[in-house]
Amino acid sequence: MTGIGMTRRGLLSVGLGLGTLGPVAILAGCAQSPQPRIYTLAIQPGTQLAGGPATLSVVGAAIPKYLDRPQIIQHGGPYQLDVSEFDRWGEPFADMVTRVLLGDLAQRLPKTQVFREESPTSTNSAASVQVDFSRFDPDPDGTVVLAARWTLRGASLIAEDSNRLTVKPASDAIPDIVAAMSQALGQLADKIAAAAAQAG
């Protein structure tokens, strides 16, 4: 009997101990992780040009696979990529880059109707532009590097070029890096728009 009683008391003690720890464990499990901060690139003002084709379609931007993720990516070294787990894009990266580039071009070519080629409302355009990005992210020191090759076509090839653009952000904070990326994309739009204006 004594053995059984002690066993029961021991089990009761263990049960009470677990009951005491239970709420603590539950509270720890319910602790919320930091909410992600959501960012987007923004259209940049540029010089409005007089020329340009009547219509210009923008083909969806081709981007490297390592950028095709919600998290913001930064080079941490020659062979390292740093992922900002709680700093994320508000939409798929390629879609965002295409959308903002389209807006940049429309701002610089006010006489041209600019639209995305894959749009349901798109029609045959007088010219189209395809941009292939090989890099679009910050270096370890925060400097944004945009490397891309673009091709502008009409009835035939109008222009093509490769550009490597760099923009130093105001600081290494993510908002300033996103602003620098927006500026770099605006600079790329300057070059494409200038070629389109001459062709038109």
Side-chain angles (χ1 to χ4, degrees):
M1 292 294 294
T2 303
I4 294 174
M6 290 180 64
T7 302
R8 287 177 177 171
R9 284 195 299 272
L11 288 173
L12 181 59
S13 298
V14 171
L16 290 173
L18 290 175
T20 304
L21 292 175
V24 177
I26 291 171
L27 288 174
C30 292
Q32 295 183 350
S33 59
Q35 290 296 313
R37 294 170 292 271
I38 307 301
Y39 297 91
T40 184
L41 299 176
I43 296 169
Q44 300 296 297
T47 302
Q48 294 189 345
L49 305 174
T55 54
L56 174 66
S57 62
V58 179
V59 181
I63 63 167
K65 289 296 183 183
Y66 76 90
L67 292 173
D68 188 18
R69 62 180 66 228
Q71 298 91 347
I72 294 179
I73 301 294
Q74 181 171 350
H75 273 72
Y79 309 106
Q80 179 182 335
L81 294 174
D82 291 339
V83 179
S84 300
E85 183 60 35
F86 298 106
D87 296 304
R88 303 182 181 183
W89 298 116
E91 60 188 301
F93 191 72
D95 290 342
M96 177 180 60
V97 170
T98 303
R99 175 181 61 80
V100 175
L101 178 60
L102 190 150
D104 283 334
L105 290 172
Q107 195 277 332
R108 289 156 175 74
L109 299 168
K111 296 183 178 180
T112 300
Q113 181 183 358
V114 184
F115 53 85
R116 183 165 180 162
E117 185 172 276
E118 299 89 346
S119 170
T121 59
S122 64
T123 58
N124 292 332
S125 59
S128 66
V129 61
Q130 166 72 55
V131 183
D132 295 320
F133 291 83
S134 57
R135 259 201 78 178
F136 191 15
D137 53 276
D139 268 343
D141 68 351
T143 300
V144 169
V145 179
L146 187 161
R149 181 172 182 81
W150 54 270
T151 304
L152 180 65
R153 296 184 182 277
S156 58
L157 177 65
I158 298 175
E160 60 181 349
D161 199 2
S162 294
N163 301 121
R164 188 179 189 278
L165 307 170
T166 60
V167 177
K168 184 70 174 177
S171 76
D172 59 0
I174 294 295
D176 287 334
I177 288 175
V178 172
M181 292 178 70
S182 298
Q183 294 169 25
L185 193 58
Q187 292 177 15
L188 181 66
D190 288 338
K191 297 181 180 300
I192 298 172
Q198 291 179 0

